[in-house]
């Protein structure tokens, strides 16, 4: 696993370990936290009419973690974020397993919810991670929106 | 000059390599390196999408000039989440 901590208390990680959003939320909470927003991306059993058996995620870990730290920094510049976690899993994931989690601790709900939404959208736009889908029609790399993040 | 090229996901599979060392003229751009890689592996150019490119872990545009020892990464459209 490669892990990288920006600010103390933040968690940024890309690696094969299973993700538990509840554990992340407990790790992020402080007594000043009034709102903890979390998003979990989960492997589902279908995609565009195909029956999906599992996914394999591949990442460019040092760049992915660098991009995730940039997202945390940008979120903190826009909302009063106390602590934040963005964790993405790699390797083979079965239906029902968590592929990604974003957790944000703030004093109030609006900032937590908005920062959480911002982070997952940014992750899907710019972070170098790819998924290969295995389904009843074979296997294929899923392509994201090709618009440039530059 | 020589740069290290990293290939991911579909590009890695099409090339049959995750990493290669590429000799290109001094001052070459990312676009010129991509052209050279497509000569080595024509299957890369045959894809209906273009790569995003990163140099030393940062997204860079096609006109970015490479330097000796840079790490150039070819990124298919990302699909994390």
């Amino acid at each position: 696993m490669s892990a990288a901590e920006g600010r103390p208390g933040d968690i940024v990680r890309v690696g094969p370990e299973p993700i538990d959003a509840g554990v992340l939320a407990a790790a992020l909470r402080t007594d000043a936290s009034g709102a903890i927003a979390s998003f979990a991306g989960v492997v589902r059993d279908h995609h565009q009419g195909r029956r999906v058996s599992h996914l394999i995620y591949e990442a460019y870990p040092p760049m992915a973690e660098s991009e995730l730290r940039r997202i945390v920094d940008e979120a903190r510049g826009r909302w009063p974020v106390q602590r934040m976690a963005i964790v993405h899993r790699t390797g083979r994931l079965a239906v029902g397993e968590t592929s990604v989690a974003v957790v944000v601790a703030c004093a109030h709900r609006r900032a937590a919810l908005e920062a959480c939404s911002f982070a997952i959208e940014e992750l899907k736009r710019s972070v170098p991670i790819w998924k290969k889908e295995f389904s009843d029609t074979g296997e294929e790399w899923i392509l994201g929106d090709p618009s440039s993040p530059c | 000059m020589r740069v290290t090229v990293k290939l991911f996901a579909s590009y890695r599979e099409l090339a049959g390599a995750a990493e290669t060392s590429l000799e290109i003229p001094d001052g070459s751009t990312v676009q010129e390196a991509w052209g050279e890689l497509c000569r080595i592996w024509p299957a890369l150019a045959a894809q209906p999408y273009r790569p995003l490119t990163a140099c030393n872990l940062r997204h860079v545009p096609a006109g970015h000039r490479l330097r000796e020892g840079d790490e150039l990464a070819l990124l298919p459209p990302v699909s994390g989440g």
Side-chain angles (χ1 to χ4, degrees):
Chain A
M1 178 185 85
S2 51
E5 311 292 324
R7 269 198 194 189
D10 288 338
I11 300 169
V12 168
R13 191 172 71 229
V14 176
E17 296 78 15
I19 295 170
D20 185 330
V23 168
L24 293 171
L28 258 55
R29 190 198 70 81
T30 72
D31 286 351
S33 304
I36 297 176
S38 76
F39 169 84
V42 181
V43 179
R44 67 172 181 272
D45 68 358
H46 65 280
H47 182 56
Q48 296 179 344
R50 301 185 290 271
R51 294 195 60 79
V52 175
S53 62
H54 64 281
L55 302 177
I56 288 181
Y57 283 89
E58 177 174 330
Y60 182 14
M63 182 177 173
E65 291 184 347
S66 165
E67 284 290 303
L68 294 178
R69 284 193 295 276
R70 177 188 62 77
I71 292 169
V72 169
D73 288 345
E74 283 194 26
R76 188 165 270 127
R78 295 170 65 162
W79 294 277
V81 170
Q82 294 169 336
R83 289 175 167 180
M84 187 158 176
I86 314 180
V87 178
H88 203 299
R89 199 169 163 195
T90 56
R92 179 184 168 126
L93 274 74
V95 169
E97 290 195 281
T98 298
S99 57
V100 60
V102 178
V103 184
V104 187
C106 297
H108 301 287
R109 72 183 182 285
R110 186 178 300 278
L113 288 166
E114 290 181 358
C116 187
S117 176
F118 166 81
I120 187 63
E121 296 302 327
E122 277 291 293
L123 181 152
K124 292 183 79 83
R125 190 181 70 84
S126 80
V127 178
I129 300 173
W130 303 269
K131 57 170 147 304
K132 191 177 204 182
E133 176 190 281
F134 293 77
S135 74
D136 54 357
T137 64
E139 58 182 68
E140 65 176 288
W141 289 102
I142 303 300
L143 297 174
D145 176 357
S147 63
S148 169
C150 295
Chain B
M1 65 178 182
R2 193 158 278 278
V3 299
T4 298
V5 179
K6 286 184 167 281
L7 303 100
F8 293 94
S10 51
Y11 289 140
R12 176 179 53 73
E13 291 187 349
L14 289 163
E19 183 175 323
T20 189
S21 181
L22 185 69
E23 180 71 35
I24 45 176
D26 287 356
S28 293
T29 63
V30 165
Q31 179 68 36
E32 288 160 345
W34 166 249
E36 185 58 29
L37 291 162
C38 290
R39 276 188 284 279
I40 298 170
W41 293 301
L44 297 180
Q47 300 310 303
Y49 48 86
R50 305 285 293 168
L52 303 174
T53 47
C55 181
N56 301 335
L57 310 182
R58 305 181 74 93
H59 289 289
V60 292
H64 178 82
R65 284 198 186 283
L66 295 165
R67 298 198 294 188
E68 170 75 27
D70 276 352
E71 180 174 293
L72 171 66
L74 298 184
L75 315 174
V78 301
S79 57

